[in-house]
Amino acid sequence: MVDVALQGGAVGTDQQVDRAKVLQRLRMSDALFRGMTRLAAIAVLIILSGIIASLVYGSWPALRTFGVSFLFDESWNPVTEKFGAIAPIYGTIMTSLIAMLIAVPVGLFIAMFLTELCPMWLRRPIGIAIELLAGIPSIIYGIWGLFVFAPFLQQYVQPFLIEAFGDIPVLSTLFAGPPYGIGVLTAGLILAIMVLPFITSISRDVFQAVPPVLKEAAYGLGCTTWEVWRYVVLPYTRVGVIGGVMLGLGRALGETMAVTFVIGNAHRISGSILAPGTTISATIANEFTEAVGDLYTSSLIALGLILFVITFIVLAIARLMLMRLNAKVGG
Amino acid sequence: MALYATRRARNKVAVFCAGAATLFGLTWLVLILAVLLWEGFSGLSLSVFTEMTPPPGSAGGLLNPIMGSLVMTSIAVVIGTPLGILAGTYMAEYGRYDRLTMIVRFINDILLSAPSIVIGLFVYEVMVAQMGHFSGWAGAVALAVIVVPVVVRTTEDMLILVPDTLREAAASIGLPRSLMIKKVAYRAARAGMITGVLLAVARISGETAPLLFTALNNQFWSSDMNAPMASLPVVIFQFALSPYKDWQALAWTGALIITLAVLALSIIARSLTAQRKSS
């Protein structure tokens, strides 16, 4: 095989010497290849540390100027160079919260339908359709939200919400008018549509990992489909489901384009979710290229750092949970 | 008997909810695709592929952003793929159970879903701020950073699926490890690895956020990688938010082109792995 590995290299008269040479060369290239792959693996770590280092470096001027109060200040004024992050942070959390409130139950129900109820011949097509929905670039959701979804909400849904909740104490502030069309609620709904396929496909995979014997035993006792799912499947896969939900949350928090189109880019915290707001990613996308002055740019990078830290924590928890489930299924 | 009736009723409600939820999810897919096809095809013509982006109020096409996207995507794949494949190779072949692999796998999974706008900021700091101007190179590098984790993940997963007996057979006839990997393991996992690259291309061809402040945009034809470069997603972003009807129509057409490309890529990728499984 060494001769084959030589691939037509010179096989001279003195076979012994050549053989030693070839072996030496192979040993070298072997070590070289191993070194290269190891280096590439380390490069992944370097990319991550590079991201963190460059964000910290870039946001240093802003963090030094504003200190911890950057996190809690609502003002965002490029003219007086006074910046605070609380409005975008609030918008990010609020839109993601709305998205998760809708996407989690719907996604879990779809996964239940796909694994327990759906006829066999329909499972694959629906599964593929859900995964295609996950593959559509976020800018498509954004442009659709801006031209189709926001006008629809403005004309039909939001007036109804304002009318319906107008007399109920807490909800009347939450749904206070006027109906802008674009705003926190619209962004949250678009995010929900975007995150739905992620949550669905992960929970479907997780539900499929439940040993059939467990389910059959429960069915054998006379449990209904709902009871099997609620008391056997869900407890067994709880960790994985939470992991999948956190993964979807990570997506929602960091999503830029789908939100930027429909959020309205207003730097204020409003009690009403119908009002325009902003998120961290939308602020950066809208203002970064137009930012003049080091402090302005630096404040935007500081926003990026905050976003990265939040998503890092959420994603790390998600991965740890999914790893725990895998260990359980494997062991 | 009352208990039995409640249980059955509860089950009926749950089953109804599950069906309704599925219909709800699929409705959005249909709605989005229907509007996209309708608006996109009404603006689709040959001039879209042969003319440059127009100034507001006149006709034009999307030639320069299409080319810009193709060029930057190709360069990103050329940079990102080898790095990803090598890293995945280390994780599956050399250090499958060592500490470095565990850490890299964890970090890679986080990079896989890290917000892409943060990657744009990173490349802005590292390249644009240092060079002093926006450039096509910076855009390509930002996309490459997104390609790497996708390729790492699929390469590792696919190589782990290669049966160890193949490796042992290669080793038993004296094949050095690096050649065993290149000639045996890679070949066995080839379809899956190509799928990974295709998925990465699908992922970056729709990415907008990392290009906004790396490649910026360019109204004109430019083949200079050192200058700002137009790309389809960024042009869609700019045109859709503009008040001009022509630009908005072009944005829809561009959105249709991207979606069709992404869907085609994911369908090809899917059929590649499907073939592998059935054979």
Side-chain angles (χ1 to χ4, degrees), chain B residues 48-54 60-72 217-223 229-232 235 239:
Chain B
V48 169
F49 301 97
T50 55
E51 287 174 32
M52 304 294 153
T53 45
L62 294 166
L63 177 62
N64 48 334
I66 290 175
M67 281 312 293
S69 277
L70 285 178
V71 169
M72 283 192 285
N217 197 355
N218 197 333
Q219 194 78 50
F220 307 103
W221 174 262
S222 165
S223 53
M229 199 169 219
S231 63
L232 214 36
V235 167
F239 280 16

Side-chain angles (χ1 to χ4, degrees), chain A residues 104-129:
Chain A
V104 171
V106 175
L108 289 182
F109 267 125
I110 297 180
M112 170 188 167
F113 180 80
L114 284 177
T115 50
E116 302 292 329
L117 297 163
C118 185
M120 272 301 172
W121 57 273
L122 249 178
R123 279 184 196 190
R124 240 179 91 78
I126 294 183
I128 289 176

Side-chain angles (χ1 to χ4, degrees), chain A residues 88-97 99-100 191 194-195 245-257 259 279-282 284 303-304 306-315, chain B residues 113-118:
Chain A
I89 293 177
Y90 168 82
T92 301
I93 292 173
M94 204 60 196
T95 48
S96 301
L97 192 73
M100 299 317 275
L191 276 181
M194 258 204 73
V195 170
V245 168
M246 297 293 264
L247 215 56
L249 179 61
R251 286 266 168 179
L253 289 169
E255 178 46 44
T256 311
M257 296 327 288
V259 173
T279 67
I280 294 177
S281 49
I284 301 173
L303 279 183
I306 295 171
L307 176 65
F308 191 68
V309 170
I310 297 174
T311 47
F312 189 95
I313 294 169
V314 169
L315 292 172
Chain B
S113 21
S116 54
I117 194 150
V118 169

